[in-house]
Amino acid sequence: MKKSPNRFTMGKSYILDRYISIYIGGKPMLDLEKIVAHNKEFLATTKDTVAAQKLTSKPSKKLAIVSCMDTRLVAMMEEALGYKRGEVIEIKTAGNGVTAPLDNVVQSLLVAHYGMGVEDVLIVGHENCGMIDFNATEFIKKMEGEGISSEAIRMIEFGLIEWMDRFCVSEDNVKFTLDRLRNHPLFPKTVHFYGGMIDPNTGAFKVVEVD
């Protein structure tokens, strides 16, 4: 009996189809050639390897940082807070919050603690967060405008409203997330949760505590 082809057995044909699929109108969505070229330069000039630094997947500071996916925080936040590669786990998400008892942030933190020995968790919000400019109604209209079906939207509409329309003040969101995690039944009391706010322009940091 002839087996059906799958992505593991289709070989070069599958890879070629996947490569072609990233093109729209003959133009690539992402300049992969530029990325590959830069990577070759990086490999040729970088001697500070993981082995040389004796790094592992476990954070040496036993700390996980939950922060927003804002572009202004990329590379800057670690330097502003005094952490280097291999010292902390970083979890980035839109709005740096917890939206459900077992959402992606909670799942990642469970792995961080039970699998990687994390004992401290720092929730970092930031000023001028783009999430403040969004609301569920406008978001849904954009989804409809890009061809998302009403059936698909109905599946997530309630959760989208509860999450997106609750986000009004960045610092309040940090406090809400802190309170939710500190009282989460899946984390033992040996895990400590902290909050803070960072300025995405200057890197200035301040501690945030639940009232």
Side-chain angles (χ1 to χ4, degrees):
M1 182 177 177
K2 187 176 181 181
K3 292 183 178 180
S4 300
N6 56 51
R7 67 189 182 102
F8 299 105
T9 61
M10 292 169 74
K12 293 182 179 179
S13 175
Y14 173 78
I15 295 172
L16 180 60
D17 288 343
R18 288 291 298 153
Y19 184 75
I20 292 174
S21 71
I22 70 168
Y23 281 79
I24 295 181
K27 295 182 179 180
M29 296 166 58
L30 184 66
D31 192 343
L32 294 177
E33 290 185 1
K34 185 177 181 180
I35 293 175
V36 171
H38 176 82
N39 182 250
K40 289 180 179 178
E41 291 180 11
F42 169 80
L43 294 174
T45 57
T46 301
K47 306 298 181 183
D48 199 13
T49 63
V50 168
Q53 297 180 72
K54 298 181 179 179
L55 301 180
T56 71
S57 62
K58 296 181 179 180
S60 63
K61 299 293 186 181
K62 297 186 177 182
L63 169 68
I65 299 176
V66 179
S67 67
C68 186
M69 63 184 191
D70 193 294
T71 60
R72 294 167 294 179
L73 300 181
V74 175
M76 181 270 280
M77 184 182 71
E78 298 86 348
E79 184 177 0
L81 299 182
Y83 294 110
K84 298 177 182 179
R85 185 184 184 197
E87 293 185 337
V88 301
I89 286 174
E90 289 189 31
I91 302 166
K92 290 182 176 287
T93 182
N96 59 276
V98 173
T99 59
L102 197 61
D103 68 359
N104 287 339
V105 172
V106 174
Q107 289 174 352
S108 296
L109 288 175
L110 289 173
V111 172
H113 172 62
Y114 293 106
M116 298 183 176
V118 162
E119 298 174 352
D120 297 313
V121 178
L122 176 61
I123 312 298
V124 180
H126 68 90
E127 307 293 346
N128 305 314
C129 184
M131 281 291 295
I132 296 174
D133 299 327
F134 299 139
N135 65 68
T137 300
E138 293 180 357
F139 213 74
I140 288 172
K141 287 181 179 178
K142 289 183 178 180
M143 295 172 76
E144 291 172 337
E146 295 196 27
I148 305 301
S149 69
S150 57
E151 290 80 6
I153 291 174
R154 276 198 298 271
M155 289 192 299
I156 55 92
E157 187 170 7
F158 176 78
L160 188 68
I161 293 171
E162 185 181 25
W163 165 53
M164 191 165 284
D165 289 354
R166 178 183 58 78
F167 197 109
C168 298
V169 180
S170 298
E171 188 167 325
D172 288 348
N173 183 61
V174 171
K175 293 178 180 180
F176 175 85
T177 301
L178 268 179
D179 183 66
R180 200 165 195 176
L181 288 172
R182 285 175 175 171
N183 293 287
H184 200 291
L186 296 180
F187 293 106
K189 297 302 180 182
T190 53
V191 180
H192 310 106
F193 296 95
Y194 309 87
M197 289 288 292
I198 192 168
D199 187 317
N201 297 315
T202 66
F205 177 80
K206 70 175 184 178
V207 175
V208 171
E209 188 50 84
V210 178
D211 297 330

